[in-house]
Amino acid sequence: MSHLTQRFISLEGGEGVGKSTNLAFIAERLRATGLPVVVTREPGGTPLAEELRELLLTPRQEPVAVMTELLMLFAARAQHWQQVIKPALESGAWVLCDRFVDATYAYQVSARGMSADAVASLEQLVLQGAEPDLTLLLDMPVSEGMQRAKARAAFDRFEQEQLAFFERVRAGYLARAAQAGERIRVIDASGSLAQVKAAVDVELSAYIGRLA
């Protein structure tokens, strides 16, 4: 645990698992105790990174090479880390991020077949070993998550993938959680919102307790 990233929390999970809702819940919970909080997302978080997000998510006829996708993600991440996350952490704020590097291992490595070594090299280049100290992985069956996502809005380029793609994403997330020790905490997101929030609250309270 580095002192810099002690206040860095990420939320991960596939489509429709409720990341945005639970991110807002955590932010409210922390702010209620008087803590400064920055809420952000990946890809995105700065004007330039949001433009890259738009390029990444927009459905297009031209096939997007996996390496192109990966480099765009890390270009957005480099800007996001340097302009938003790192300065916020250095100022003493808590940072809550909707997805971070774990998503790249789930989507680009597990689901798309990109080399894990290539991702690790870019991760080291851009972040130099920094990572969230706590990651909450919201997990539910893929079919259930996609049903929720369908009710939300038109599908973006990633959401238009086949069900098998998202099964690989979920498997990638769970495999990463199994290797990450205490950092990644898996939360069953298939229950009611109240149940999920209660589980999130337990993990958050335990984490804050460990910092005290």
Side-chain angles (χ1 to χ4, degrees):
M1 178 188 292
S2 85
H3 179 69
L4 179 65
T5 58
Q6 278 183 352
R7 299 174 307 280
F8 185 13
I9 300 174
S10 64
L11 257 72
E12 296 283 357
E15 313 307 316
V17 296
K19 290 189 293 16
S20 300
T21 303
N22 283 285
L23 207 66
F25 168 70
I26 295 171
E28 184 182 337
R29 168 95 156 63
L30 293 174
R31 285 172 179 145
T33 63
L35 295 170
V37 178
V38 172
V39 178
T40 189
R41 68 176 181 176
E42 285 217 339
T46 81
L48 174 56
E50 288 290 336
E51 287 184 42
L52 287 164
R53 177 189 178 91
E54 188 70 21
L55 289 171
L56 277 160
L57 298 189
T58 300
R60 63 187 73 246
Q61 289 194 325
E62 177 187 1
V64 179
V66 181
M67 182 60 79
T68 304
E69 183 177 280
L70 181 68
L71 292 173
M72 288 174 71
L73 280 164
F74 269 101
R77 181 165 293 140
Q79 186 72 3
H80 190 205
W81 174 255
Q82 291 294 334
Q83 298 298 318
V84 175
I85 299 176
K86 189 178 178 188
L89 293 170
E90 288 173 342
S91 76
W94 285 66
V95 173
L96 306 180
C97 193
D98 183 338
R99 293 204 175 116
F100 201 60
V101 175
D102 295 304
T104 307
Y105 284 95
Y107 280 79
Q108 280 68 48
V109 176
S110 180
R112 294 234 193 269
M114 174 55 71
S115 158
D117 288 343
V119 174
S121 296
L122 287 168
E123 181 183 3
Q124 180 59 35
L125 181 68
V126 170
L127 300 174
Q128 298 178 351
E131 65 180 6
D133 254 29
L134 175 64
T135 296
L136 301 179
L137 172 57
L138 301 177
D139 177 64
M140 69 165 58
V142 170
S143 57
E144 191 178 331
M146 294 308 292
Q147 282 299 118
R148 291 188 186 181
K150 272 182 190 172
R152 206 173 47 202
F155 278 3
D156 62 34
R157 187 173 67 85
F158 283 88
E159 291 168 337
Q160 289 177 356
E161 293 284 353
Q162 299 298 310
L163 210 60
F165 174 86
F166 296 107
E167 293 289 1
R168 294 194 298 273
V169 168
R170 185 188 186 197
Y173 268 133
L174 291 173
R176 189 139 170 94
Q179 297 163 357
E182 287 292 301
R183 180 178 69 83
I184 300 180
R185 312 298 293 173
V186 181
I187 290 173
D188 181 359
S190 61
S192 69
L193 182 57
Q195 289 171 324
V196 178
K197 282 183 176 178
V200 166
D201 196 47
V202 166
E203 294 294 350
L204 186 62
S205 297
Y207 180 71
I208 293 171
R210 289 198 295 273
L211 293 183

